Amino acid sequence: MPAARLPASRIPLLPATERMAAVALLALCLAAWAAGLAGGFQYDDLPNIVLDPATAGGEALRERLANGFRPLLRLSYVADHALWGFDGTGFLATNLALHAATVLAVWRLALGRLADPLAAFLAAALFALQPAHAAVVSFASGRSTGLMTLGLVLALLAHEHAWREGLDRARRAVFVALSLVAFALAVSAKEVALIYPLMLMVWESTRTDATAGRIARRMAGPAFAALAGAALLWTFGPRLRELAGYSLALADPLEALARHAAALPLSLALWLRPWALSVEHPAPSADAMLPGALALVGLLLAALALRRRWPLATLGLLWPLAILAPTHTLIARLDWVVEKPLYPAWIGPALALGALLATWLRRPGRAVPGLVLLAALAATCAWRAATWADPAALWREATERAPQSARAWHNRALAESAAGRDAEARRSIDMALALDADAPRTQALALAISLAADETPSPNVPSRSPSP
């Protein structure tokens, strides 16, 4: 009797095919993001890395590690400094390597969840080729989010192995322990990783065979670890309390909730609007609060409606909300529309879209459009990486997106001055002064630009509300 044939979508990957898929994903990462390696340090990199004595190690590092704030992130900077000195390209190469490792981890996660090699490959490719990732991959200070995300995905992978059917108790305990270790490492890169239990709840509750008892049993350990970790960070980590005080000084929790309701849909929409990406975004108006809140409620209702018919769609819709909710509800931020937090939030949508795209590509005549799509995404990522590699272009774009931002004009002037574009730098710093004439940093930069050009500051300062 001939052996039964498995459907094409259920044939396990052969080792050689796995290697080819992994190499293809790494090639996509390199093709899409290599342009960012031409960049260097800029913006937050200066206080976070270059001017921080802890980056070179020694007593400053020991003091920094003693406060318990993001020790893994700090150690990664020290390792880069030991390898590259203060060469920004080396730090960016590490970011790219972390992104490639995260892409491979997402691929392995998708293989288990989707049980479809093509869908898993496409899910990983879509994650790799999201243009909004430039704020993490092509920005040295984006390291905290990239390192945290890799830890969270590895924790979820170990969790998946721990709860495989037929696994004996001893091996299950090993994988559970590995999952908790990866979770702890993610928290040591960025404390936002404490959202792991929420991420796990969405992951487990969108399975076709999910039950309340099974979800509670699988979440108990991570939930307890998250609560314990949060208590330890709050008790022994003064930096976390400082950040909480800073957030409350920006806005009270209810005001923050209202502003996030307006801003979060705008942030999520950046996934589909790469032409709107920027290092600086304007704050949403008060009129956007109600439409934004209705959009979020619509996403929740759609996720619930699709729960039984297509649980992967529910995963794709709920995942970003679970990832972003803790830091985009009651906690005020200096920047309301942001790109870096979108990095881990894209994993769930990438898995759902990978499955959908695989179904579409299996129809006759769809292979070429699929390749064109991946090529277009890779080209868009290369454009974003190249923009981040050029500080003058990056901040010129920022002033176009947010023309009323004094910070954007200040940083544009700084980048133009560093590039030797003195006339452009003077115009940009005048715009920054027009928007915020009392900012000490802007005044100091204006004086420095004027002295560098061997001129006195211009007495003709534009009005405080210049046209874009």
Side-chain angles (χ1 to χ4, degrees):
M1 181 177 177
R5 296 183 62 185
L6 291 172
S9 62
R10 294 293 187 268
I11 298 175
L13 285 176
L14 298 174
T17 309
E18 286 191 0
R19 286 194 295 272
M20 289 175 60
V23 169
L25 288 171
L26 292 176
L28 281 176
C29 287
L30 188 61
W33 298 107
L37 299 178
F41 294 120
Q42 59 168 311
Y43 189 31
D44 287 346
D45 296 339
L46 300 180
N48 291 345
I49 301 172
V50 179
L51 300 179
D52 189 338
T55 303
E59 184 61 28
L61 174 63
R62 287 188 287 273
E63 291 178 2
R64 187 59 52 80
L65 295 178
N67 71 17
F69 186 70
R70 303 181 180 179
L72 184 60
L73 171 66
R74 181 53 52 191
L75 289 172
S76 76
Y77 288 152
V78 172
D80 270 350
H81 178 266
L83 287 172
W84 317 106
F86 282 112
D87 181 356
T89 298
F91 283 72
L92 292 171
T94 300
N95 279 22
L96 178 53
L98 288 171
H99 178 57
T102 305
V103 168
L104 293 180
V106 168
W107 170 57
R108 298 302 302 183
L109 192 65
L111 276 172
R113 183 62 182 257
L114 304 180
D116 181 340
L118 178 60
F121 177 84
L122 291 171
L126 290 174
F127 176 78
L129 303 179
Q130 172 50 250
H133 290 348
V136 173
V137 182
S138 301
F139 181 32
S141 290
R143 172 82 56 86
S144 58
T145 299
L147 196 55
M148 174 198 75
T149 303
L150 177 58
L152 288 175
V153 177
L154 292 176
L156 192 52
L157 267 175
H159 170 86
E160 283 289 275
H161 281 286
W163 294 101
R164 284 181 301 174
E165 291 186 7
L167 199 65
D168 61 76
R169 183 174 298 179
R171 294 187 66 191
R172 176 166 294 162
V174 169
F175 281 111
V176 167
L178 289 174
S179 177
L180 293 177
V181 168
F183 172 36
L185 290 174
V187 174
S188 69
K190 193 171 186 178
E191 62 286 344
V192 177
L194 290 168
I195 52 89
Y196 178 60
L198 279 177
M199 185 176 90
L200 198 57
M201 182 177 68
V202 172
W203 182 262
E204 290 292 343
S205 63
T206 52
R207 295 183 185 276
T208 54
D209 58 350
T211 63
R214 181 178 298 176
I215 294 171
R217 185 168 63 254
R218 295 183 177 186
M219 283 188 57
F224 176 79
L227 290 173
L232 288 172
L233 286 174
W234 185 261
T235 304
F236 300 105
R239 179 62 175 157
L240 196 60
R241 295 195 297 273
E242 290 173 8
L243 290 175
Y246 176 73
S247 172
L248 289 173
L250 288 175
D252 64 71
L254 289 180
E255 181 185 353
L257 182 63
R259 298 191 71 172
H260 280 306
L264 185 53
L266 297 176
S267 294
L268 295 174
L270 292 173
W271 282 332
L272 305 177
R273 301 171 62 237
W275 58 87
L277 293 169
S278 173
V279 67
E280 186 95 1
H281 294 275
S285 66
D287 295 339
M289 185 189 70
L290 181 58
L294 291 175
L296 294 174
V297 170
L299 284 178
L300 285 171
L301 293 177
L304 294 174
L306 293 169
R307 168 67 184 84
R308 295 190 180 279
R309 186 185 309 173
W310 192 31
L312 268 178
T314 302
L315 173 67
L317 292 172
L318 288 184
W319 179 281
L321 299 181
I323 294 288
L324 298 173
T327 55
H328 291 73
T329 47
L330 301 177
I331 298 176
R333 305 173 62 95
L334 183 61
D335 300 302
W336 298 96
V337 179
V338 287
E339 296 176 14
K340 277 197 295 184
L342 297 177
Y343 186 79
W346 182 241
I347 295 173
L351 262 65
L353 290 172
L356 184 64
L357 187 57
T359 301
W360 184 80
L361 286 176
R362 284 195 170 97
R363 297 176 182 175
R366 300 288 174 82
V368 172
L371 292 174
V372 170
L373 172 63
L374 293 182
L377 289 174
T380 307
C381 290
W383 160 61
R384 293 308 303 160
T387 301
W388 276 83
D390 182 351
L394 180 68
W395 289 104
R396 181 173 61 252
E397 177 187 75
T399 57
E400 293 168 357
R401 302 283 190 273
Q404 298 301 311
S405 169
R407 179 175 63 178
W409 285 105
H410 172 279
N411 289 338
R412 174 175 174 173
L414 186 62
E416 288 168 341
S417 178
R421 304 173 188 172
D422 295 335
E424 295 175 39
R426 287 195 298 273
R427 286 194 293 270
S428 296
I429 201 63
D430 281 347
M431 294 294 286
L433 286 169
L435 291 164
D436 189 359
D438 299 325
R441 286 198 321 145
T442 302
Q443 292 173 347
L445 180 59
L447 179 60
I449 290 173
S450 179
L451 292 174
D454 196 25
E455 295 178 3
T456 57
S458 171
N460 298 320
V461 178
S463 66
R464 293 188 62 83
S465 300
S467 57

